[in-house]
Amino acid sequence: GPKVLQIPSHQIIDMGQMVTLNCDPVSNHLYFYWYKQILGQQMEFLVNFYNGKVMEKSKLFKDQFSVERPDGSYFTLKIQPTALEDSAVYFCASSSLSQNTLYFGAGTRLSVL
Amino acid sequence: AQSVDQPDAHVTLSEGASLELRCSYSYSAAPYLFWYVQYPGQSLQFLLKYITGDTVVKGTKGFEAEFRKSNSSFNLKKSPAHWSDSAKYFCALGQQGTGSKLSFGKGAKLTVSP
């Protein structure tokens, strides 16, 4: 099936630093998403993005979070500054203009020390 | 508000048996319902979805699910189960329209012993 790539698979940083998580979505998809999964808990929606704009965000999408996809490059999630509670696996997903099905990447495990 | 409940966190059965993973949802409007599977170290893979129409939907890998509006359920089934079906399964609920978010259940870890 369609592939979503996430880079890196694991990121370790110190609290207070900035981190950027990268996602290469399916090539013809236009909707993009980030989800957060804390160990042992369910996957929680963070944000969705279309046509250069955030469509919807949850309360987990703090002011320190931002997303962008400049000119068809990676869809990124930036956290600045990071906090200990940001440690989690972050999943990127994308979907097409005509389909509701989301396709997910394998996740980036973020460890904030 | 919308929510998804998967009441069985762990399901264990023998190869050749029938499997059924339960999913119930809460949503005030017409739901879009999905099942995904995650193998260790891999991404979530789409199995099947219900949008409208036939209440029994067939997906990949021999799985099917039945939408029951009467009790707000969307249970996943397969018979017979194979050891390669061992994985974690997630039920998800979406809203009408493309680009809408999905709300996930906590997942059910399925172990099929040979």
Side-chain angles (χ1 to χ4, degrees), chain B residues 26-44:
Chain B
S26 175
Y27 188 51
S28 56
Y32 288 178
L33 293 159
F34 300 77
W35 276 99
Y36 284 82
V37 60
Q38 186 177 35
Y39 299 97
Q42 297 186 27
S43 60
L44 276 76

Side-chain angles (χ1 to χ4, degrees), chain B residues 57-77:
Chain B
V57 291
K58 296 185 185 300
T60 60
K61 306 178 190 292
F63 286 92
E64 67 175 38
E66 183 176 7
F67 169 64
R68 290 190 174 181
K69 186 178 180 180
S70 60
N71 61 356
S72 299
S73 69
F74 189 58
N75 295 349
L76 183 69
K77 302 176 185 179

Side-chain angles (χ1 to χ4, degrees), chain A residues 20-41:
Chain A
T20 300
L21 308 183
N22 298 296
C23 172
D24 188 10
V26 178
S27 60
N28 62 343
H29 285 184
L30 298 177
Y31 294 96
F32 311 112
Y33 314 76
W34 283 104
Y35 281 78
K36 176 182 180 181
Q37 186 176 38
I38 294 175
L39 187 63
Q41 298 183 22

Side-chain angles (χ1 to χ4, degrees), chain A residues 4 31 33 35 37 40-43 45 48 55-56 58 91 95-107, chain B residues 4 32 34 36 38 41-46 49 51 88 90 95-107:
Chain A
V4 175
Y31 294 96
Y33 314 76
Y35 281 78
Q37 186 176 38
Q41 298 183 22
Q42 67 199 90
M43 207 153 60
F45 169 78
N48 53 2
M55 293 171 56
E56 184 181 5
S58 73
F91 291 94
S95 65
S96 69
L97 199 58
S98 59
Q99 292 286 327
N100 314 88
T101 304
L102 274 63
Y103 292 90
F104 286 83
Chain B
V4 178
Y32 288 178
F34 300 77
Y36 284 82
Q38 186 177 35
Q42 297 186 27
S43 60
L44 276 76
Q45 298 177 26
F46 168 74
K49 67 181 177 184
I51 302 297
K88 194 162 187 179
F90 293 88
Q95 302 165 350
Q96 291 186 6
T98 51
S100 66
K101 67 179 184 182
L102 294 183
S103 298
F104 283 86
K106 292 186 176 182

Side-chain angles (χ1 to χ4, degrees), chain A:
Chain A
K3 299 287 187 187
V4 175
L5 299 177
Q6 289 189 243
I7 304 163
S9 58
H10 194 181
Q11 179 92 45
I12 302 172
I13 61 168
D14 292 323
M15 182 178 61
Q17 285 190 317
M18 181 195 74
V19 68
T20 300
L21 308 183
N22 298 296
C23 172
D24 188 10
V26 178
S27 60
N28 62 343
H29 285 184
L30 298 177
Y31 294 96
F32 311 112
Y33 314 76
W34 283 104
Y35 281 78
K36 176 182 180 181
Q37 186 176 38
I38 294 175
L39 187 63
Q41 298 183 22
Q42 67 199 90
M43 207 153 60
E44 305 263 20
F45 169 78
L46 282 177
V47 65
N48 53 2
F49 187 86
Y50 169 71
N51 198 26
K53 298 175 186 175
V54 169
M55 293 171 56
E56 184 181 5
K57 57 185 180 181
S58 73
K59 59 184 177 183
L60 296 178
F61 194 78
K62 305 180 296 184
D63 291 343
Q64 297 90 326
F65 288 35
S66 63
V67 291
E68 64 175 356
R69 192 188 187 211
D71 298 327
S73 61
Y74 288 148
F75 176 53
T76 63
L77 173 65
K78 182 184 293 185
I79 309 174
Q80 181 179 26
T82 51
L84 295 177
E85 60 266 27
D86 296 332
S87 294
V89 179
Y90 290 84
F91 291 94
C92 173
S94 67
S95 65
S96 69
L97 199 58
S98 59
Q99 292 286 327
N100 314 88
T101 304
L102 274 63
Y103 292 90
F104 286 83
T108 293
R109 180 176 298 279
L110 177 64
S111 300
V112 181
L113 306 178

